[in-house]
Amino acid sequence: MYRPLPKELTIKTSSIDGLGLFTTCDVGEGHEFGITHIQHKDYQNGHIRTPLGGFINNSDNPNCILIHGNTSAWSYMKLKSIKFISESEEITLKYQYMGYDV
């Protein structure tokens, strides 16, 4: 069964901006949520956003980072927690962290 988001996340109204990603359970440090962006030269900023990559808000005190990965055919970015995240807490990134405006 297709799920656009991992079971640990949902979309809700954000106090930061518009809609955001929020946890549905406690999540430990180092948890990988999945792929947020896939490299493709024909799209804005050279990447296609997945549903997971479309609702992440910026914070000066983020709880996640984007990590780069590659296969033989394409490259991608994954969302990874950098600290413990409590249930119902918003997922955030420091947009400039990876030099890419998500």
Side-chain angles (χ1 to χ4, degrees):
M1 181 172 158
Y2 173 72
R3 293 181 57 97
L5 295 174
K7 65 181 179 179
E8 303 89 3
L9 298 176
T10 192
I11 299 168
K12 296 197 267 187
T13 301
S14 169
S15 63
I16 298 171
D17 183 37
L19 298 173
L21 287 177
F22 291 81
T23 56
T24 59
C25 59
D26 291 345
V27 176
E29 180 179 345
H31 180 79
E32 290 188 13
F33 293 98
I35 294 174
T36 60
H37 298 77
I38 300 169
Q39 185 177 24
H40 193 290
K41 65 179 177 60
D42 294 335
Y43 286 82
Q44 181 182 13
N45 296 321
H47 289 87
I48 300 169
R49 288 185 196 189
T50 69
L52 180 58
F55 295 94
I56 305 168
N57 281 314
N58 181 59
S59 172
D60 287 333
N61 186 26
N63 52 25
C64 289
I65 60 171
L66 292 179
I67 55 174
H68 289 272
N70 294 291
T71 70
S72 59
W74 49 282
S75 63
Y76 57 87
M77 288 185 254
K78 284 179 153 183
L79 183 65
K80 182 177 181 178
S81 63
I82 55 173
K83 57 177 91 170
F84 177 84
I85 306 171
S86 298
E87 181 179 350
S88 297
E89 187 175 343
E90 185 168 5
I91 297 295
T92 57
L93 293 171
K94 176 79 172 159
Y95 283 177
Q96 297 82 12
Y97 184 80
M98 298 301 289
Y100 174 73
D101 184 8
V102 296

